[in-house]
Amino acid sequence: MTSTRPRIVIVGGVAGGMSAATRLRRLLEHADIVILERGDYVSFANCGLPYYVGGLIEDRAALLLQTPQSLAARFALDVRTRTEVVAIDAERQVVTIRNLATGTDGEEAYDYLVLATGAAARETTAPPGGVPVVNLRTIDDVDTITALLDNRPTSEHHAVVLGGGFIGLEAAENLRRRGVAVTMIRRGSQLLSPLDPEMAAPLLEHARWNGIDVQLGEADITVTSTGVRLGAGQDVDATIVVDARGVTPDTSLAADAGLRLGASGGIAVDAHHRTSQPRIFAVGDAAEKTDLIDGSGAVVTMAGLANRHGRAAADTIAAAVTDTASVAPPAAPALGTAIIGFFDFTAAFVGWNERRLRAAGRQHRVIHLHPAHHASYYPAAEHMAIKLLIDPATDRILGAQIVGGAGVDKRIDVIAVAMHAGLTASALGELELAYAPQYGTAKDPINLAGNIAENHATGLDHSTQWHELDDALAAGATLVDVRSAAEHDAGAIPGSILLPLDELRDRHGELPADLIVHCQVGQRGHIAARLLRQLGHRASNLDGGYLTWAAGQRASDAAVLSS
Ligand code: FAD
């Protein structure tokens, strides 16, 4: 036991910090729990901020989930806002605090310290008096943005959003929702870089359909007094610039105190969220996570992990304080599961993408499919595109990406659960998932992905990827389109021969031995490839069919244009 009345100090009063604080109170009624937050607010809904800018969340108060007063009343927490921790003395177990209202410094002793300092946005240098540059991370930020937007008619505003990741996309969508003209400027050749290019292509189209001017491949931008200057010297005028070019773990306090940082840049912690100083814990965006795929240190800045790890750190502290052996189980490795809604489009992913697997030199198998989210005969079925990445040696799932509309959220979560549980890709075919026509299909998209994975694992399926096709055709392969003539006429892969699936059995003799077949989404192509292989051809199926190939072409075109 540390003392009869242990004192636990928490730095940062939002997701990770407040989860730790309230869990600690549920476990330790007789502890002093102090939360030090440099901002004006604690426990606010940062994930909801963009939707307040867009007017979807109308009531600002809805963003403020708790106040220091409500937390004192229910949990007897000593919450101090506008209080910044400026130094940690791990030897003496004290932190130096600065009252930002008065500018005075003081000290606060702790038995245990939890760092939940979050992530820091990059600083943008802008000429004084010029176009305002804002982040979208705090209540103060949204107050600034809404005040700026209100200071002149909407039609006179032009927002430039820097960055095309989660917050950039959400900012752009919500500015459009308010009627503001938006230019989005991004360094890379696609939006949302965790997606592979063929999966990200529809996102760019949705942005443009919704009136967002997207400029890709702009690595070298400067904020000027009237807007933003692109690398080639082109000026984009703006009345407001929202800088959403990503964040890094806010580790300055920890680093100054000599705590070890991980290779990823986050605060290094063990599986119980202990830093290199055993009485100091770190959780949330500031802390390094362990990656599920290769066990390396990773930065994953998502709310679910921050909340979960805050709770778990509290459990470990409570066990130490009360001298119980029942320490919380070690943290599960991070998967990086994430989802974004962008207008009526949804993109989600988990684990590694193909780009990362290739860069790491890891063997992988790729499956694309385009199932409907519920029975296609039932009204309003929507299609999604699923990409599954699999370790060919173990059949383990390495990652997944899903884009589309309805039902994307459910499928990414099922795959995340499967990865967490260590299921193989083939085992997805065995999952017994709830089905009625308005919710799914008797063979759910997840089951279909598992069936395809099993076909690959057992050698029944041989596929060619969209980006391998040009080389295969250049090397003399014959590409056979097994769709209908109408489908072929509506859009065909250059060089393909039309031979509809239902004629293949009788006419396969017209074809050479080595073939790549394709259909619209890969399903008829699989049937064709199976038939042709049994009839003596060496046939492979274009994975994901015409739709994946076409998305890949659009992504390649965007990359060429942005280079
Ligand atoms: P935070 O919640 O950022 O809290 C850190 C706090 O520490 C801050 O309030 C900061 O002021 C305070 N602090 C830092 N240093 C000090 C110091 N020295 N002294 C005192 N106080 C200090 N995640 C999702 O999973 N899904 C989403 O849809 C999603 N949407 C998001 C939308 C936006 C606009 C933003 C900004 C984030 C979003 N996130 C989302 C990310 C998610 O909010 C973070 O992963 C999560 O809040 C991290 O929790 P945290 O406790 O580590 O840090």
Side-chain angles (χ1 to χ4, degrees):
M1 181 93 66
T2 300
S3 67
T4 47
R5 194 165 178 88
R7 190 167 185 78
I8 302 153
V9 171
I10 297 170
V11 189
V14 193
M18 209 48 84
S19 293
T22 50
R23 175 73 169 175
L24 276 164
R25 176 57 76 221
R26 292 193 293 274
L27 299 172
L28 298 174
E29 179 56 22
H30 302 292
D32 291 323
I33 303 172
V34 182
I35 295 118
L36 305 171
E37 166 56 56
R38 69 179 163 205
D40 286 324
Y41 304 95
V42 287
S43 205
F44 62 89
N46 26 21
C47 308
L49 297 177
Y51 305 95
Y52 176 68
V53 170
L56 201 73
I57 298 173
E58 292 177 6
D59 182 6
R60 183 178 177 279
L63 299 170
L64 305 172
L65 305 175
Q66 297 285 349
T67 62
Q69 295 71 27
S70 67
L71 290 159
R74 180 159 302 171
F75 296 103
L77 300 176
D78 177 359
V79 180
R80 302 182 208 162
T81 53
R82 305 214 65 200
T83 305
E84 183 169 19
V85 175
V86 292
I88 303 168
D89 185 336
E91 250 342 80
R92 292 171 51 228
Q93 293 186 197
V94 292
V95 292
T96 305
I97 59 175
R98 181 160 302 154
N99 181 327
L100 297 178
T102 60
T104 51
D105 285 0
E107 282 193 343
E108 194 66 45
Y110 64 82
D111 293 311
Y112 292 93
L113 179 68
V114 179
L115 301 178
T117 48
R122 60 193 295 164
E123 301 262 325
T124 308
T125 38
V131 59
V133 181
V134 286
N135 293 127
L136 176 41
R137 299 197 52 77
T138 63
I139 298 280
D140 288 343
D141 290 340
V142 291
D143 286 345
T144 305
I145 293 171
T146 49
L148 285 166
L149 293 177
D150 287 343
N151 75 3
R152 64 172 87 186
T154 303
S155 59
E156 291 177 15
H157 273 294
H158 184 189
V160 165
V161 175
L162 303 178
F166 282 104
I167 296 177
L169 290 167
E170 290 176 358
E173 177 190 0
N174 282 288
L175 287 161
R176 287 299 298 139
R177 184 174 278 137
R178 263 184 98 116
V180 174
V182 177
T183 296
M184 189 174 211
I185 301 174
R186 178 159 173 78
R187 167 194 292 263
S189 59
Q190 65 168 73
L191 298 175
L192 203 59
S193 57
L195 294 178
D196 287 317
E198 79 281 16
M199 303 300 283
L203 209 49
L204 179 59
E205 286 141 22
H206 274 263
R208 289 181 172 153
W209 285 335
N210 284 288
I212 298 172
D213 166 35
V214 183
Q215 308 270 346
L216 295 173
E218 295 294 344
D220 190 16
I221 55 133
T222 5
V223 177
T224 64
S225 53
T226 56
V228 166
R229 178 160 301 152
L230 306 182
Q234 182 200 343
D235 284 318
V236 181
D237 286 345
T239 52
I240 178 170
V241 174
V242 179
D243 193 346
R245 285 179 291 175
V247 293
T248 49
D250 190 342
T251 57
S252 50
L253 192 58
D256 290 348
L259 301 185
R260 198 166 69 77
L261 302 187
S264 69
I267 304 170
V269 289
D270 68 11
H272 295 285
H273 315 286
R274 256 188 227 101
T275 67
S276 50
Q277 284 285 346
R279 282 180 179 256
I280 305 180
F281 291 70
V283 299
D285 290 358
E288 186 171 77
K289 317 287 181 297
T290 302
D291 184 272
L292 176 84
I293 302 301
D294 69 352
S296 63
V299 169
V300 186
T301 53
M302 303 308 294
L305 289 170
N307 279 284
R308 218 158 31 256
H309 293 171
R311 183 180 192 272
D315 287 355
T316 305
I317 293 169
V321 164
T322 54
D323 254 347
T324 53
S326 61
V327 183
L335 299 167
T337 316
I339 189 163
I340 181 169
F342 185 57
F343 299 100
D344 57 352
F345 190 73
T346 305
F349 51 84
V350 58
W352 285 25
N353 62 18
E354 188 175 357
R355 191 186 299 117
R356 184 169 176 193
L357 289 165
R358 279 202 227 167
R362 271 188 88 117
Q363 291 293 313
H364 57 277
R365 179 180 285 147
V366 181
I367 289 172
H368 292 89
L369 62 159
H370 300 264
H373 90 287
H374 67 43
S376 50
Y377 59 80
Y378 190 87
E382 294 180 30
H383 279 85
M384 65 181 82
I386 301 180
K387 177 172 186 175
L388 198 61
L389 295 143
I390 302 162
D391 185 328
T394 61
D395 199 26
R396 185 176 162 219
I397 306 167
L398 299 173
Q401 297 155 51
I402 311 184
V403 297
V408 168
D409 53 345
K410 166 165 138 174
R411 275 57 186 220
I412 203 73
D413 280 346
V414 173
I415 296 176
V417 171
M419 289 177 74
H420 181 82
L423 297 187
T424 61
S426 300
L428 296 177
E430 296 301 317
L431 295 181
E432 190 182 334
L433 301 170
Y435 159 62
Q438 59 273 58
Y439 298 110
T441 46
K443 276 187 198 164
D444 190 87
I446 291 292
N447 298 137
L448 291 174
N451 292 156
I452 299 170
E454 186 193 41
N455 284 340
H456 280 279
T458 55
L460 273 184
D461 219 334
H462 300 78
S463 63
T464 300
Q465 291 300 316
W466 66 271
H467 53 79
E468 297 166 342
L469 190 61
D470 281 352
D471 286 348
L473 295 180
T478 299
L479 178 66
V480 182
D481 182 350
V482 301
R483 299 174 300 169
S484 67
E487 287 172 294
H488 185 81
D489 290 346
I493 301 177
S496 59
I497 302 166
L498 175 67
L499 211 177
L501 175 60
D502 295 344
E503 299 173 31
L504 209 52
R505 192 168 278 107
D506 295 333
R507 292 179 52 196
H508 76 96
E510 298 169 22
L511 298 173
D514 288 306
L515 294 168
I516 300 169
V517 292
H518 88 84
C519 64
Q520 187 74 357
V521 298
Q523 192 183 15
R524 281 170 290 168
H526 169 68
I527 299 168
R530 288 301 311 142
L531 172 64
L532 289 166
R533 288 185 83 85
Q534 293 179 74
L535 295 175
H537 296 266
R538 287 180 292 276
S540 80
N541 181 21
L542 181 65
D543 182 53
Y546 180 80
L547 286 186
T548 297
W549 175 85
Q553 299 312 301
R554 298 198 305 278
S556 304
D557 291 348
V560 169
L561 283 175
S562 66
S563 61

